[in-house]
Amino acid sequence: MAIKDLALAVLPLLAVVAAWCAASVFDLVPGYLLPSPAAVFDAGWRYVWGPAGQGPYAGRFAGDLAASLSRVLLGFSLAVVVGIPLGICSGRLATVDRLAAGMVGGLRAVPGICWLPLALIWFGIGLKTTVFLVALAAFFPIYQNALTGARMAPPIYFQAGAMLGVSGARSVFAILLPLAMPNIVTGLRLGMGISWAYLVLGELTGVPDGLGAAIMDARMAGQTDLILAGIVLIALIGRGCDCLLVLLVRCLCKSARRQG
Amino acid sequence: MAGEPILELVDLSHYFIHNGQADSVLRHLGLTVGRGELVCLIGRSGSGKSTLLNIVAGFLKPSQGQCLLDGRAVGRPGPDRAMVFQEDALFPWLTVRENVAFGLGGDGWPRERRQREVERLLALVGLAGYGDHLPHALSGGMKQRVALARVLIRSPRLLLMDEPFAALDAQTREEMQELLLGLSYRRQSILFVTHDVGEAVALADRVLLLDRASGAIGAEWAIDLARSRDRNGEGFQRLCARIHRRLRREPADAGPSDVRP
């Protein structure tokens, strides 16, 4: 059964790759628009493993990855540090909710990309602009899901806690956060996903390093194979970050580990 | 009933404010539960049974009157008056063992003593060996056993039960009633709310009727049937019939509802 499920999951992917192979073997699409899978793999391989000097991009990967990861993690962490406490407070305290709701709702109506010109003026090209865009974009799903989780927490659990001697501030950590945990995890995963989207956006603006910068450079040089390789790499790394995030939260919080 | 009272409600009144109008639920109600006594409170829905229990637990502040535990006014909710709810209120992210230990909190109990205490309670409610299960893997009856163990670990002065077995099947309900009677033999004081007359007569030392029309205790029956009561026995049936007759004299659903503000 598991093998069948796996086969079903892989089948569409194989079909796409097969169509792609056919397109390049029979020369249906010119190579500068869609290079062959082998060329893309080759470009990717040299980008990741090739010794420096063996081509324009060889050996850049480690530096690009470090730059991109640090931007994502920095922006994402900022969004978590502000989003979760503010969301939890808004979910439980009517005054905080009223104070925050208008502001957050207004900001959310602004498409994230609109901030780019302003961010470039404020922060210039580089780390700060990207981190700002990532933090802003990741904030909304994290805040909103934490808020929903906190608001939906059934009062009976707080009554149960109170009669067992756990109330007030202690109940926040012992009861409220565990109850809201499934929503918090959803918010974190959505936030992580959108972080990668805005990372690439921030890196397309002419920063010297980063995965987004690498594919933008490849466009200048007309290296479609490296663009495609970069896209695949960003997808894989984004997926990897999602898995690591889930694993990390499960290690840290019992309540994320087991809720049926 | 013999023994000094553990719980005394004196001239207790409570009203909810609905659209600016006061909806009174309890009016000048008086009630006592003796030490080691099992008192069942029955009444039609909307008679204020749950309100009364919530006041004793400290979840609600009475509009008027006094609620005394051991002669002292009750304040905020605490482990001395622990409640078993009708619905499942176990913490879903904690195992059975962790749920039972929850009330021990940061009391600085030595680890070994804590564990021993938890195992003792699990054995008492018949769940030895289920410590590592999560609540969602348990049946309704087992969940209520855990809920019972969770409050008993703090040795409550008074155990409050809000129709705890109403959602269980008949067989399981009888097993749970046996378990509760076991606690009662050990002189645990219990205030038990139910709308099931048979259950009240099977369990109680005393049955009290909360009268919806007057908002106070309308009738009281001391149950002097011998323990391990035969539900098909003549005395049992006659008493049930008498209480049923009295319940039917209550006005039908028209008064204040169970809706909470």
Side-chain angles (χ1 to χ4, degrees), chain A residues 156-167 170 174-176 178-179 254-256 258-260, chain B residues 59 77-79 83 85 87 89-95 98 102-103 105-106 134 136 150-151 154:
Chain A
I156 194 168
Y157 292 108
F158 299 99
Q159 293 191 333
M163 73 184 193
L164 293 167
V166 174
S167 57
R170 278 176 64 203
I175 301 173
L176 179 57
L179 276 175
K254 229 183 265 176
S255 49
R258 7 150 138 148
Q259 294 224 348
Chain B
F59 299 140
M83 171 115 90
F85 302 93
E87 52 208 296
L90 298 177
F91 301 114
W93 63 93
L94 298 178
T95 61
E98 290 164 335
F102 189 89
L134 285 173
H136 69 84
R150 177 171 80 166
V151 296
R154 293 292 301 261

Side-chain angles (χ1 to χ4, degrees), chain B residues 188-220:
Chain B
Q188 171 72 56
S189 314
I190 303 171
L191 179 56
F192 189 102
V193 164
T194 179
H195 60 249
D196 178 345
V197 172
E199 181 169 68
V201 175
L203 293 176
D205 296 316
R206 232 167 6 118
V207 176
L208 303 178
L209 172 83
L210 184 50
D211 196 84
R212 192 164 58 195
S214 68
I217 301 302
E220 174 177 339

Side-chain angles (χ1 to χ4, degrees), chain B residues 12-18 20-29 46-48 51 55 63-64 210-216 254-259:
Chain B
L12 193 82
S13 297
H14 193 75
Y15 34 84
F16 293 108
I17 306 293
H18 263 310
Q21 271 198 314
D23 233 355
S24 75
V25 182
L26 306 174
R27 265 160 277 159
H28 308 291
L29 178 143
S47 56
T51 304
I55 288 171
S63 310
Q64 228 174 66
L210 184 50
D211 196 84
R212 192 164 58 195
S214 68
S257 67
D258 261 331
V259 179

Side-chain angles (χ1 to χ4, degrees), chain B residues 6-8 67-74 80-81 157-158:
Chain B
I6 191 154
L7 176 76
E8 285 174 282
C67 174
L68 306 171
L69 188 79
D70 285 322
R72 281 192 304 273
V74 306
D80 53 346
R81 296 152 278 142
R157 304 284 296 144
L158 176 65

